[in-house]
């Protein structure tokens, strides 16, 4: 079925799919280091305001996506403090650009990615790190040889979940960067646009099936990673 759907895609539809994949991959790659640092901080550190930080990280899950997009517009728009600074200093404009769509997708993926990585970090047996420290290993060596490898299933699960969430992002994206064909028209926006067309039913069907297959595959891979975390890294299917 997937090969039949791919064969039925027009060049314009292929470009929409390619743009969606690019936006999702860039969003996940850009936000992954930030998510790992936040997850490590929440899992290992004790500090005042930790509950507030945790709540802010998960806020995009409960806020209407349109509100998230509006906040991004206020911050990163041409008149926003960050957007004006990026434009004046680096000549970078996120508004009505695919990079802005990637930013919106990244923000919406943060809660899922942080949670997956945090659970993996919390599952690490700290006695292994303590034993390595008593043998004279530096903190950096402990991190790269023990902590990071043990947290890797959670990191991979976060990447997959973030990709799936970014691929399905609609509300924040269309609010922040609007619908610009060839620039910000990702799969969800293309589906919405096709639904407004009298002859768009076939395109909606093709894109809906493609989106479902990609998201379902990503969720299944993520579940495998989560099970590996729960079973101490053993191979589980």
């Amino acid at each position: 079925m997937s090969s039949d759907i791919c064969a039925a895609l027009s060049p314009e539809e292929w470009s929409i799919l390619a743009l969606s994949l690019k936006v999702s991959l860039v969003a996940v790659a850009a936000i992954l280091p930030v998510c790992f640092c936040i997850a490590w901080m929440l899992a290992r550190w004790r500090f005042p305001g930790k509950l507030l930080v945790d709540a802010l990280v998960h806020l995009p899950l409960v806020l209407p996506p349109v509100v998230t997009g509006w906040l991004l517009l206020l911050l990163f728009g041409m008149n926003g403090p960050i957007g004006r600074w990026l434009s004046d200093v680096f000549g970078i404009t996120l508004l009505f650009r695919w990079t802005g769509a990637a930013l919106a997708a990244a923000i919406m993926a943060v809660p899922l990615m942080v949670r997956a990585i945090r659970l993996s970090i919390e599952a690490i047996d700290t006695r292994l790190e303590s034993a390595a420290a008593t043998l004279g290993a530096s903190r950096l060596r402990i991190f790269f040889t023990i902590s990071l490898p043990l947290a890797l299933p959670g990191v991979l699960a976060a990447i997959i979940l973030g990709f799936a969430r970014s691929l399905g992002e609609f509300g924040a994206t269309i609010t922040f960067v609007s619908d610009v064909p060839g620039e910000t028209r990702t799969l969800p926006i293309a589906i919405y646009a096709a639904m407004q067309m009298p002859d768009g039913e076939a395109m909606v069907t093709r894109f809906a099936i493609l989106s479902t297959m990609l998201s379902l595959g990503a969720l299944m891979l993520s579940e495998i990673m989560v099970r590996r975390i729960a079973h101490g890294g053993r191979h589980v299917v």
Side-chain angles (χ1 to χ4, degrees):
M1 179 184 293
S2 59
S3 59
D4 294 338
I5 294 172
C6 291
L9 294 179
S10 67
E12 179 186 358
E13 292 170 342
W14 272 112
S15 67
I16 292 172
L17 177 60
L19 176 64
S20 299
L21 294 175
K22 179 173 73 170
V23 166
S24 299
L25 290 172
V26 169
V28 171
I31 207 66
L32 180 60
V34 177
C35 289
F36 188 92
C37 292
I38 294 174
W40 185 274
M41 180 177 66
L42 292 175
R44 293 295 181 90
W45 294 5
R46 293 183 179 180
F47 56 90
K50 180 178 178 178
L51 184 62
L52 177 60
V53 172
D54 194 16
L56 288 174
V57 166
H58 291 87
L59 193 59
L61 279 179
V62 294
L63 270 182
V66 174
V67 174
T68 303
W70 175 71
L71 292 173
L72 289 174
L73 194 60
L74 290 179
L75 292 172
F76 293 90
M78 295 301 296
N79 295 321
I82 302 177
R84 188 186 304 114
W85 177 76
L86 288 174
S87 179
D88 293 342
V89 177
F90 301 103
I92 297 174
T93 302
L94 298 176
L95 205 59
F96 308 122
R97 300 289 304 277
W98 73 268
T99 47
L103 174 63
I107 295 300
M108 297 302 294
V110 164
L112 295 177
M113 295 180 67
V114 168
R115 182 167 182 80
I117 298 173
R118 180 182 179 179
L119 290 174
S120 187
I121 294 172
E122 290 176 342
I124 296 174
D125 188 349
T126 55
R127 292 174 298 180
L128 297 174
E129 298 171 328
S130 299
T134 59
L135 294 174
S138 65
R139 290 186 178 182
L140 198 60
R141 184 174 182 182
I142 292 172
F143 175 77
F144 282 107
T145 60
I146 297 177
S147 307
L148 185 58
L150 290 176
L152 192 58
V155 174
L156 294 176
I159 291 172
I160 296 166
L161 280 174
F163 174 79
R165 181 63 187 88
S166 299
L167 200 63
E169 165 50 32
F170 172 76
T173 302
I174 199 168
T175 304
F176 179 40
V177 294
S178 190
D179 176 15
V180 182
E183 187 68 34
T184 67
R185 181 172 286 185
T186 55
L187 275 173
I189 296 177
I191 291 173
Y192 178 78
M195 290 176 64
Q196 317 305 314
M197 300 163 52
D199 57 346
E201 184 177 350
M203 181 185 292
V204 171
T205 302
R206 289 194 294 270
F207 279 160
I209 293 174
L210 272 176
S211 299
T212 302
M213 292 173 62
L214 288 170
S215 299
L216 183 62
L219 289 174
M220 290 174 66
L221 283 174
S222 175
E223 180 63 23
I224 292 173
M225 296 300 174
V226 170
R227 290 187 182 185
R228 291 195 66 180
I229 297 171
H231 291 77
R234 295 192 298 271
H235 180 68
V236 178
V237 177

